[in-house]
């Protein structure tokens, strides 16, 4: 099968937002690859179609595709290769979207082992995977494992060129882990490293900057320094609105956080206004 032609056609259909046609084309191509016993093509097509189903929130339909791809990988003797690791990561992402965090972490951990031993130990993709794994560990309350994953990511990223923004994002994630563990001084030092890197590289323009500002605000909130917390949370809210507008979950959560802070400062009317705004947004976006 001509896979270059396959990917070109898929890209065209997706760019034109022709999701139904893209799905049919991929399913027809998969059937052709199966008829031709072209296992290599089947691996690629299953991953592509699984990604489409994930984008369409049809997660369950992606599961048998990834299982088929993994079986083809095994049949071709490709266990432990980059193809194997990539398929596991895609499969894990589907389980993450489904809310099955333990299964997603199991698959990501297997993928990390493959990439580490397959010559990608200092690869950007492995650092990204470690960052993803840290979020899953956080969801499960496994904070020490999350910390380890992020330190592993930092070790890789610091050795790569032009990775300063990624290092900043990882520092910000690590600060949130320390915050969850109530290690406030470490959290503060770490998030300030993130903020300094963001400012040095791109000022306040990076879309992740608002999250780091909010994290510092949350640390001051935990320390009961309400004024500093409120000022930082207001800044984070404005940055989020600049980057994404106001009709999103992040804006609603930041509004709710700011309301908590304002309430502590006895600014109850303002707090109630932000709470109403947060609730209204969540209702409009169906959450």
């Amino acid at each position: 099968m001509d896979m270059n032609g396959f990917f070109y056609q898929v890209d065209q259909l997706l760019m034109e937002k022709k999701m139904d046609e893209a799905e049919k084309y991929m399913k027809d191509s998969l059937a052709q690859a199966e008829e031709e016993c072209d296992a290599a093509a089947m691996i690629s097509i299953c991953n592509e179609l699984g990604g489409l189903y994930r984008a369409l929130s049809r997660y369950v339909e992606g599961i048998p595709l990834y299982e088929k791809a993994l079986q083809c990988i095994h049949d071709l003797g490709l266990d432990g290769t980059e193809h194997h690791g990539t398929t596991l990561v895609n499969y894990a992402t589907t389980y993450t979207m489904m809310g099955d965090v333990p299964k997603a972490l199991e698959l990501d951990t297997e993928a990390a082992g493959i990439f580490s031993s397959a010559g990608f130990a200092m690869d950007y993709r492995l650092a990204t995977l470690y960052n993803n794994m840290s979020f899953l560990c956080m969801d499960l309350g496994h904070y020490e494992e999350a910390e380890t994953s992020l330190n592993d990511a930092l070790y890789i990223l610091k050795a790569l060129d032009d990775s300063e923004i990624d290092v900043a994002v990882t520092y910000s994630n690590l600060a949130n882990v320390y915050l969850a563990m109530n290690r406030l001084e470490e959290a503060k030092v770490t998030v300030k490293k993130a903020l300094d890197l963001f400012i040095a590289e791109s000022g306040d323009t990076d879309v992740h900057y608002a999250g780091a500002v909010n994290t510092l605000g949350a640390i001051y909130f935990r320390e009961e320094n309400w004024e500093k917390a409120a000022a930082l949370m207001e800044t984070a809210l404005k940055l989020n609105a600049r980057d994404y507008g106001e009709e999103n979950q992040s804006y609603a959560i930041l509004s709710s956080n700011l309301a908590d802070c304002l309430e502590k400062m006895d600014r109850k009317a303002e707090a109630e206004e932000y709470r109403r705004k947060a609730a209204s947004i969540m209702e409009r976006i169906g959450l």
Side-chain angles (χ1 to χ4, degrees), residues 131-206:
N131 259 294
N132 293 342
M133 289 168 63
S134 76
F135 292 121
L136 298 172
C137 290
M138 284 282 283
D139 283 345
L140 293 170
H142 299 168
Y143 301 130
E144 291 182 0
E145 292 177 31
E147 180 186 4
T148 297
S149 292
L150 290 169
N151 280 322
D152 288 342
L154 282 170
Y155 178 76
I156 296 170
L157 290 169
K158 287 179 178 180
L160 301 178
D161 294 332
D162 303 319
S163 63
E164 287 80 8
I165 290 295
D166 296 297
V167 170
V169 171
T170 305
Y171 273 136
S172 184
N173 294 340
L174 184 58
N176 278 303
V177 174
Y178 289 145
L179 179 59
M181 299 169 79
N182 210 36
R183 290 159 56 179
L184 300 184
E185 194 55 40
E186 289 172 274
K188 192 182 295 183
V189 168
T190 304
V191 78
K192 285 182 177 179
K193 287 181 182 178
L195 291 167
D196 288 346
L197 271 174
F198 279 126
I199 292 297
E201 292 301 312
S202 59
D204 68 355
T205 62
D206 189 86

Side-chain angles (χ1 to χ4, degrees), residues 15 75 188 208 218 248 257 283 285:
M15 276 196 303
D75 292 343
K188 192 182 295 183
H208 298 95
N248 60 81
N257 291 346
E283 183 178 358
I285 63 178

